[in-house]
Amino acid sequence: MALLVTGVVSTVSYFSVSNSLLREQVARQKAVTAEKAEAHHRKAAEIARNLAEEKETEARTARDAALLARGEAEDLLNYMLFDLRQQLEPLGRSRLLASVSEKAEQYFAKQPVLAGDGSLERNRAVMYYNRGYILLAQGDVPGAVAAFRSARTGTEARLKEKDDAERRLDLATASHGLGLALRASGEVEPARALFEEILRSLAEQHDANATRLLSATLEQLGELQLRAGQAPAAEASFLEQESRLRELAKSAPEDPRTLRALAIACEKVGGVLQLSGRLDESLAKFQEEVDLLRTLSGQHLDDLILRRNLAVALEKLGTLQLALHRLEDAKPQFEERLRESELLERVDPRRLEFRRDLAVAHQRLAGVLLALHDLPGARSHAQTDLELTRGLAAEYPVDPGIQGDLAASKCQLGFLILKSGPPTAARVAEARGRLEQSAEILRKLAAAGQSDERGKAVLKEIEKALRELPAAK
């Protein structure tokens, strides 16, 4: 019996140990399985994370590539607008850019504003800036104002994100364009406020671009001051403009942009000096302007606007020499002015301002030759002027400026006829006809409210001359 009990106890103990070992083995197996499952989950999570990162990287790369492509396209578009504008404006072909700039605006209108993407938003502002100048050149002043406002709004937003010299210059540039457009629209005080704001914002910047913009702003401010009767303030603005450009020219003596701007500054200072009666000082400034423009036009033969500026500067110099009774000095200026106008008209015979300039150049030279008592020469140029102006007046019958030119041409020729010999019946009749035709044109312009003070004064002079015509011999 004891042996049986011992056997049973031994069997129970064996099964107990076996069960314990089995449970321990199962537990270990579960632990291993759990560990493997955890490792598998970690691996799966790592794979998922890697896949997500890869997708994010691919998306970021694709976005960066798209932004780069968009940026490059916009850079090219703006380069085309700016570069073509710089090339076409001297040729008088700004209108060719109208459709290009319109397409550019439509393109940017479809692009979303991307936070933090400064370069692309700068491109948008640059596009509006270039479009503003193109519209202004076309005479679309309201459109130009709107475009420049958009450019300014964009640059203001970028400046709020980050204030640096480049963005302040961008804002000043957009503000300058807006000031020009506002001035053209007759909003003088808002334009003046913008110009004064530019002077304050760029006061501490001394690089070439900032200096050129400051000088252009001083010119605009000086013109507004002059129109407001503030001659001393205008003179100070123009002198500061000239001073800044002279400093800039020291570092880049061959830069055409600086030299052209300096020529303009000389003309502005010369004009103020002339108004104040300091004619000799004014003459020196006008002479420097002519010298600068003559040099530049010789270096840039295809820049038609530059050559036209030279022609205008020659006339101003010659007119001042006439006022100083230096007739022999004045004559070469008007002869060169005529040659420049003839050249421009040959290069682009369909361009209205060149055709009109040529007629006026003949008229001005006729006046000088008359003062020098060269009556045959004066009458020849006056006759050419009349023929050219008559053709323009036939093409543009409602243009008050051209009709005024025609009246002046007839008037000048009428007086020349009277001075070219004894008052024969034929001569007096011819002169009377010219003067009466001129008076009729001027009366019509006055009735339409299109005559200026000079036109009214000329009409009084003609009416007086008609009353005092000598009796025919």
Side-chain angles (χ1 to χ4, degrees), residues 400-446:
I402 293 176
Q403 294 300 317
D405 289 348
L406 180 59
S409 300
K410 289 177 177 291
C411 175
Q412 184 185 54
L413 190 56
F415 283 121
L416 275 168
I417 291 168
L418 287 175
K419 295 182 179 182
S420 61
T424 63
R427 187 171 287 122
V428 171
E430 185 181 3
R432 181 185 297 277
R434 301 296 186 191
L435 293 174
E436 286 178 345
Q437 291 167 5
S438 178
E440 182 181 359
I441 294 171
L442 291 172
R443 290 189 191 105
K444 287 181 179 179
L445 290 175

Side-chain angles (χ1 to χ4, degrees), residues 130-169:
N130 282 313
R131 178 148 171 76
Y133 268 103
I134 292 166
L135 292 171
L136 198 58
Q138 291 180 292
D140 183 358
V141 177
V145 169
F148 283 126
R149 284 196 192 282
S150 295
R152 180 176 159 88
T153 300
T155 51
E156 283 179 324
R158 291 179 57 246
L159 189 62
K160 289 178 181 178
E161 294 175 357
K162 180 183 178 182
D163 186 345
D164 59 20
E166 180 187 63
R167 298 186 186 209
R168 284 196 298 274
L169 181 59

